């Protein structure tokens, strides 16, 4: 079997789906799914107003329009009632994002969409291994996509993969891949190899804030393959967007799949440390649906002063994440250009101003977790 087949089938069996199609990035996988579902000109796609702008671009690329719905404050996932209210005769898909790894309230969303026969696409870019009533995320909707960019549950540098168990849809995806998919850009793959080496060698938690800002500056200068090229901020498909995954990324991916269960256990253990320390310091425990068993990508926590937390963390060398900073992350996104009206998703906007996220990746030791929780406790919870 060729590398693409091996990686795709290894990933499909990890998730428990019938078919998998690797791509250059997660957003490319979403684009492929939208195309395969026939979403196009004049159609509407429902998305949470608490996501990456990169996740919204593919909706415009196919000629459709995003309709934003608010989230629930306890698990940061789309509110099923808001989904029901947002459905119109033009709705052609719902993108159900499992935020931070918490599974969406799938049954309720499905109840809202199924009578209209609207397919649900799961955004699993932040959720790998989470289950919902015993079923793995990625197998709940018509199709799902994952990202293996640096900050995601597992990494191949950059990367994405679409999965489905719907044979008709898989046939369409397969046709698209055969007829239109471009090879990955060779220079970018070479740079990715280099980055991979550098990352392994020098990135430790204490230096991540510094490394991340350096990385962003170099990316802006066009010196590294960041996850987002500047032109992608425009809501139109850049030339050469629809690209496949390199053999290099797939080899890394195959290696990661072999150790993924240990990595998930580690995520759970570190999350328990944060839970224990933060509840003792006055936070409510993490709340999620009774049928949900999340494996979190990062541990979200609301703080009394987000800006102070981020600034202090950077000077103290504590690794803290800030997404989502805006209903369409990152903060520099022009919301109007993306059809989002300020105030449209108040629960999400409030979360953007309060939530930071703590690392759970393999480089976080129990000691680092204790230290990080201690740092957050010093900042303190908001008034709940
Ligand atoms: C990162 C991310 C994406 C996009 O993944 P890429 O591989 O960067 O294209 C989509 N949705 C969510 C929720 C993400 O966090």
């Amino acid at each position: 079997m060729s590398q693409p087949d091996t990686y795709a089938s290894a990933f499909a069996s990890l998730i428990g789906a019938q078919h998998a199609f690797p791509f250059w990035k997660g957003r490319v996988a979403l684009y492929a799914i939208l195309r395969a579902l026939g979403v196009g000109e004049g159609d509407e796609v429902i998305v949470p107003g608490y996501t990456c702008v990169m996740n919204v671009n593919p909706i415009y690329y196919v000629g459709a329009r995003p309709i934003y719905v608010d989230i629930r404050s306890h698990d940061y996932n789309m509110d099923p009632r808001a989904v029901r209210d947002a459905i119109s005769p033009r709705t052609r898909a719902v993108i159900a994002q499992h935020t931070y790894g918490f599974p969406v309230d799938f049954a309720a969303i499905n109840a809202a969409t199924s009578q209209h026969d609207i397919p649900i696409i799961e955004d699993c870019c932040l959720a790998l291994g989470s289950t919902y009533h015993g079923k793995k995320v990625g197998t709940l909707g018509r199709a799902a996509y994952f990202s293996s960019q640096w900050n995601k549950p597992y990494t191949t540098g950059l990367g994405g993969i679409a999965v489905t168990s719907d044979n008709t849809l898989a046939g369409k995806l397969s046709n698209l891949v055969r007829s239109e998919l471009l090879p990955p850009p060779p220079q970018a793959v070479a740079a990715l190899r280099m980055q991979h080496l550098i990352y392994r060698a020098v990135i430790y938690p204490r230096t991540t804030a510094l490394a991340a800002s350096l990385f962003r500056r170099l990316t802006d200068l066009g010196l590294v393959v960041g996850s987002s090229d500047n032109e992608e901020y425009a809501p139109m498909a850049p030339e050469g967007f629809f690209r496949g995954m390199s053999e290099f990324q797939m080899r890394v991916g195959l290696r990661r799949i072999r150790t993924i269960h240990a990595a998930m256990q580690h995520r759970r253990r570190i999350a328990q440390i944060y839970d224990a320390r933060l509840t003792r310091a006055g936070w409510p425990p993490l709340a999620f649906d009774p049928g949900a068993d999340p494996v979190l990508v990062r541990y979200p926590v609301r703080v009394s002063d987000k800006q102070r937390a981020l600034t202090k963390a950077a000077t103290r060398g504590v690794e803290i994440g800030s997404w989502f900073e805006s209903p369409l992350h990152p903060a520099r996104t022009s919301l109007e250009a993306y059809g989002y009206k300020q105030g449209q998703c108040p629960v999400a906007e409030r979360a953007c101003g309060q939530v930071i996220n703590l690392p759970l990746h393999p480089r976080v030791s129990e000691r680092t977790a204790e230290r990080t929780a201690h740092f957050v406790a010093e900042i303190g919870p908001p008034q709940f």
Side-chain angles (χ1 to χ4, degrees):
M1 271 205 296
S2 70
Q3 195 84 42
D5 294 339
T6 318
Y7 178 62
S9 56
F11 194 87
S13 52
L14 174 69
I15 301 304
Q18 291 299 312
H19 312 272
F21 301 87
F23 294 97
W24 178 237
K25 295 177 185 179
R27 67 199 75 168
V28 183
L30 168 60
Y31 174 80
I33 293 170
L34 291 171
R35 289 274 312 272
L37 285 171
V39 178
E41 213 62 52
D43 292 338
E44 293 176 356
V45 177
I46 297 175
V47 288
Y50 192 66
T51 190
C52 286
V53 68
M54 295 309 151
N55 202 33
V56 176
N57 273 329
I59 299 170
Y60 283 106
Y61 296 172
V62 299
R65 197 160 74 83
I67 303 294
Y68 303 100
V69 297
D70 209 349
I71 58 169
R72 308 188 297 187
S73 61
H74 67 284
D75 67 1
Y76 310 98
N77 281 325
M78 63 202 319
D79 185 339
R81 285 169 309 181
V83 173
R84 194 186 52 211
D85 294 345
I87 291 172
S88 86
R90 290 166 181 256
T91 310
R92 289 295 306 277
V94 172
I95 299 179
Q97 169 185 295
H98 304 296
T99 313
Y100 301 120
F102 295 115
V104 295
D105 187 352
F106 189 82
I109 295 171
N110 195 43
T113 57
S114 59
Q115 57 190 314
H116 306 282
D117 202 23
I118 298 166
I120 299 173
I121 305 168
E122 294 175 73
D123 178 347
C124 297
C125 294
L126 301 174
L128 182 75
S130 300
T131 60
Y132 175 83
H133 294 282
K135 283 190 80 182
K136 284 189 185 134
V137 298
T139 62
L140 306 169
R142 184 82 59 90
Y145 60 106
F146 294 78
S147 168
S148 48
Q149 188 256 354
W150 296 110
N151 299 319
K152 308 299 164 121
Y154 91 117
T155 180
T156 59
L158 295 176
I161 193 158
V163 303
T164 184
S165 294
D166 178 317
N167 291 333
T168 312
L169 187 63
K172 292 189 174 153
L173 281 164
S174 186
N175 282 342
L176 263 177
V177 165
R178 204 170 327 113
S179 60
E180 292 184 34
L181 195 68
L182 301 165
Q187 303 93 316
V189 175
L192 212 52
R193 275 174 197 276
M194 190 61 88
Q195 255 170 265
H196 207 76
L197 287 174
I198 295 171
Y199 245 78
R200 274 215 303 231
V202 305
I203 307 295
Y204 295 99
R206 292 185 69 84
T207 58
T208 16
L210 180 67
S213 74
L214 178 67
F215 188 69
R216 222 170 297 137
R217 270 208 304 279
L218 292 174
T219 307
D220 286 343
L221 294 171
L223 297 179
V224 278
V225 238
S227 67
S228 305
D229 303 329
N230 288 331
E231 72 267 28
E232 276 187 50
Y233 286 100
M236 51 200 279
E239 208 179 322
F241 173 78
F242 194 48
R243 292 190 182 274
M245 192 183 240
S246 67
E247 302 259 327
F248 166 70
Q249 289 161 292
M250 291 193 241
R251 272 200 306 279
V252 175
L254 277 172
R255 275 208 300 276
R256 296 267 191 260
I257 288 173
R258 272 185 234 125
T259 56
I260 197 76
H261 290 101
M264 288 194 241
Q265 276 317 106
H266 176 80
R267 287 179 183 282
R268 288 183 190 275
R269 200 165 57 240
I270 301 295
Q272 279 164 5
I273 293 176
Y274 292 144
D275 247 346
R277 293 291 171 269
L278 295 177
T279 46
R280 209 181 297 157
W283 273 269
L286 285 183
F288 43 85
D289 292 336
D293 183 13
V295 177
L296 300 179
V297 63
R298 309 272 303 186
Y299 185 100
V301 53
R302 292 178 191 255
V303 290
S304 58
D305 187 341
K306 176 166 173 170
Q307 199 48 56
R308 194 166 79 90
L310 294 173
T311 316
K312 253 182 114 173
T315 57
R316 292 234 210 130
V318 177
E319 181 192 344
I320 284 198
S322 67
W323 40 268
F324 297 105
E325 296 163 350
S326 150
L328 300 171
H329 188 92
R332 65 173 182 269
T333 307
S334 153
L335 298 176
E336 304 73 49
Y338 283 88
Y340 181 93
K341 287 187 207 70
Q342 198 73 44
Q344 197 178 340
C345 300
V347 181
E349 289 180 21
R350 191 173 151 81
C352 292
Q354 289 188 329
V355 178
I356 58 170
N357 60 68
L358 316 182
L360 299 169
H361 54 69
R363 296 185 310 275
V364 183
S365 66
E366 296 189 2
R367 236 185 99 230
T368 313
E370 299 278 359
R371 189 172 153 258
T372 306
H374 183 78
F375 171 84
V376 175
E378 271 177 28
I379 303 290
Q383 308 238 293
F384 286 103

